[in-house]
Amino acid sequence: MENSLCVSIFLVLCIFIQSSAHGQSLGLESFGRRSQAAETKETSQETRTRFLLFKEETNKGCQIQLNHSDTLQQCGFNSSLPLVMIVHGWLESVHFSPSNVHLIGYSLGAHVSGFAGSYMSGEHKIGRITGLDAAGLLFKRASPSDRLSPDDANFVDAIHTFTQEHMGLSVGIKEPIAHYDFYPNGGSYQPGCHFLELYKHIAKHGLNAITQTIKCAHERSVHLFIDSLLHADMQSTAYPCRDMDSFSQGLCLSCKKGRCNTLGYYARQKQQSKKSKSLFLVTRAQTPFKVYHYQLKIQFSNEIEKPVEPTFAMSLLGTKEEMQKIPITLNKGITSNKTYSFLITLDLDIGELIMIKFKWENSMVWSNVWNTVQIIIPWGRGSLHSGLVLKSIRVKAGETQQRMTFCSENMSDLQLHPTQEKTFVRCESNSKKLKRKIR
């Protein structure tokens, strides 16, 4: 029975790293398709890694050389036979501590790293495992022993980027599987990866555009991790939250008691319980991915007979930069004396916020015209819109944890009408507190 099955065994000792930061694909290139110049350049770089092919009839391994596909044939590689790949580590005589090892696994490789870590325990436990959008197929609702879990290393972090389900299946796993589980943009999908972006991918990738679009969100986990290495001075902060809906309302920007963490390589390896902690953040569609998070709270104090659904725009002036016309939509409409909290993100560091310009931009042109006419020619108490009374805007900056309150620059005229813009500056009480801190 044993002799009836021939098995080729490929013994591999290697670490494969391929950066996609410069537009390279994460897929392996086919043998024989590379230029002679590329082969000469790469083979000139010496490596101590050895690739040995073992066959059943011999105990001596045949060495396969990188970028020389002819050595596969010379070693008698048979593609019709089952292939077993063995990745081994270090010898005990090297006196290398496993606690210094960091395994990084992408997709299915995340669970493979977990399996490797589960075989080592106690003083031989792996130091860190990072799962980059760990595979969801076949691993959904799997027990911790059958997938990557916090038990597999001293510290386990996971980045979830493509957990959107189709017919109950998802490419990336949605369930928390680590000490810290990061969900950029909610984890289900990523900006710049929607099928509406297909035309951009066609221009860049040609016939491979559809494939690139499908795997865009899945691979984003890799790009985010690489970005944390390339932009060490622009680390992305992630915040503990229940779900993306709560996060989008700006309700989760608290970093008290060290609850926040950094996405990517420089994640803080804080020892904690085995219970997973889910963290959320927003990112850009391209590198550098970092954005700056702000929670804004507004309350309209006048009586509103029926809910209105206006669209607003905000301009933020900081000590470094100014961001203009950031669209704000309150989907559920505005009612009386209710506080509305929402999240806005900026691509640039504007410094300390010193001024806010708040504009009512109604999306309906004819409604704008009609309301403008009512402002110019008052029709009495029966006006459709008497204006919205907005006294102050409360702001919290996620990255600095600074809280600020902004008051209307003109306290004698608090009503905001369609197409009108109001300016808000730091309230006097806030300014006094700021002066005390400076002293």
Side-chain angles (χ1 to χ4, degrees):
M1 184 67 179
E2 294 180 357
N3 294 330
S4 62
L5 178 63
C6 292
V7 179
S8 293
I9 299 180
F10 194 24
L11 179 59
V12 181
L13 170 58
C14 66
I15 300 175
F16 177 76
I17 301 174
Q18 186 175 22
S19 171
S20 298
H22 302 289
Q24 295 173 310
S25 170
L26 290 177
L28 293 172
E29 295 187 53
S30 301
F31 283 114
R33 292 187 179 180
R34 311 184 63 177
S35 66
Q36 187 65 36
E39 287 190 1
T40 303
K41 180 180 178 180
E42 294 194 18
T43 52
S44 64
Q45 298 177 351
E46 293 185 5
T47 175
R48 298 175 63 182
T49 304
R50 298 182 68 205
F51 300 84
L52 301 177
L53 177 68
F54 288 83
K55 294 191 294 184
E56 189 177 43
E57 60 270 17
T58 177
N59 291 324
K60 186 178 181 181
C62 180
Q63 184 170 352
I64 296 172
Q65 296 182 6
L66 286 174
N67 306 314
H68 290 275
S69 57
D70 56 322
T71 56
L72 281 171
Q73 186 176 1
Q74 293 171 8
C75 290
F77 178 76
N78 188 342
S79 60
S80 66
L81 298 177
L83 178 67
V84 178
M85 299 184 69
I86 304 174
V87 184
H88 69 81
W90 54 90
L91 300 176
E92 291 293 332
S93 59
V94 177
H95 301 297
F96 185 78
S97 174
S99 63
N100 293 326
V101 174
H102 181 185
L103 300 181
I104 304 171
Y106 166 59
S107 193
L108 182 60
H111 298 297
V112 173
S113 298
F115 297 151
S118 66
Y119 280 100
M120 306 185 72
S121 59
E123 61 183 34
H124 297 292
K125 201 167 189 177
I126 294 291
R128 178 182 177 185
I129 296 177
T130 298
L132 303 178
D133 207 32
L137 297 174
L138 304 179
F139 293 95
K140 183 180 180 181
R141 299 191 184 92
S143 65
S145 60
D146 294 328
R147 58 161 172 78
L148 177 63
S149 74
D151 296 324
D152 297 330
N154 292 328
F155 178 73
V156 180
D157 58 319
I159 302 176
H160 305 258
T161 55
F162 193 18
T163 65
Q164 188 173 15
E165 291 190 356
H166 298 279
M167 296 183 292
L169 301 175
S170 62
V171 175
I173 193 168
K174 186 175 184 178
E175 290 81 10
I177 55 174
H179 291 113
Y180 284 91
D181 288 85
F182 296 85
Y183 294 88
N185 308 294
S188 61
Y189 218 67
Q190 299 303 312
C193 294
H194 198 276
F195 266 98
L196 294 176
E197 303 283 333
L198 181 59
Y199 71 96
K200 293 182 181 179
H201 292 157
I202 290 176
K204 185 176 181 180
H205 302 288
L207 296 177
N208 294 323
I210 295 179
T211 303
Q212 292 293 330
T213 303
I214 292 174
K215 69 180 183 179
C216 175
H218 194 37
E219 283 188 358
R220 182 61 59 83
S221 59
V222 180
H223 297 305
L224 288 168
F225 192 85
I226 293 173
D227 184 72
S228 72
L229 291 166
L230 295 179
H231 300 95
D233 59 334
M234 296 182 67
Q235 298 299 303
S236 296
T237 302
Y239 307 85
C241 199
R242 181 180 59 204
D243 52 46
M244 191 60 188
D245 184 57
S246 299
F247 189 75
S248 298
Q249 296 178 53
L251 302 176
C252 305
L253 295 188
S254 175
C255 290
K256 289 182 179 178
K257 299 180 180 179
R259 295 189 299 174
C260 299
N261 209 333
T262 302
L263 175 75
Y265 179 77
Y266 294 103
R268 188 179 71 259
Q269 300 182 40
K270 183 180 178 182
Q271 297 296 329
Q272 60 168 38
S273 64
K274 294 181 180 180
K275 185 179 180 181
S276 299
K277 182 177 289 187
S278 298
L279 300 99
F280 291 77
L281 70 158
V282 174
T283 71
R284 284 161 35 92
Q286 62 278 327
T287 184
F289 292 103
K290 179 182 176 63
V291 303
Y292 298 84
H293 302 76
Y294 291 86
Q295 178 196 24
L296 280 84
K297 287 184 178 181
I298 59 176
Q299 181 180 17
F300 299 97
S301 58
N302 57 319
E303 291 295 326
I304 302 173
E305 294 181 4
K306 60 180 181 179
V308 293
E309 297 184 6
T311 299
F312 302 107
M314 300 181 68
S315 297
L316 305 181
L317 177 64
T319 54
K320 296 180 181 178
E321 299 281 349
E322 180 179 7
M323 296 294 290
Q324 297 184 345
K325 293 187 176 180
I326 304 166
I328 304 294
T329 302
L330 303 179
N331 297 323
K332 297 180 180 179
I334 296 174
T335 57
S336 302
N337 297 315
K338 180 180 177 182
T339 300
Y340 295 88
S341 176
F342 52 92
L343 178 76
I344 65 170
T345 58
L346 306 180
D347 292 352
L348 298 175
D349 178 12
I350 64 171
E352 186 172 353
L353 188 59
I354 56 177
M355 182 185 293
I356 298 175
K357 292 181 180 180
F358 195 89
K359 185 178 181 181
W360 181 348
E361 291 188 336
N362 204 320
S363 59
M364 298 178 63
V365 177
W366 282 109
S367 179
N368 274 342
V369 174
W370 175 247
N371 291 332
T372 303
V373 170
Q374 289 190 97
I375 295 170
I376 298 173
I377 308 175
W379 298 99
R381 294 183 180 180
S383 299
L384 291 177
H385 293 294
S386 60
L388 298 172
V389 177
L390 178 59
K391 292 183 179 180
S392 63
I393 301 175
R394 287 178 287 167
V395 181
K396 179 175 183 179
E399 277 64 29
T400 63
Q401 295 291 287
Q402 186 179 15
R403 294 178 181 271
M404 300 156 278
T405 303
F406 291 79
C407 297
S408 177
E409 191 175 44
N410 184 4
M411 296 299 290
S412 63
D413 181 16
L414 298 175
Q415 284 199 347
L416 178 68
H417 298 279
T419 72
Q420 191 178 29
E421 183 178 79
K422 293 283 186 181
T423 299
F424 293 78
V425 295
R426 296 281 286 271
C427 296
E428 186 177 348
S429 59
N430 264 25
S431 298
K432 289 179 179 179
K433 289 180 182 179
L434 185 62
K435 289 178 181 178
R436 288 195 206 107
K437 287 183 180 179
I438 295 173
R439 289 174 186 172

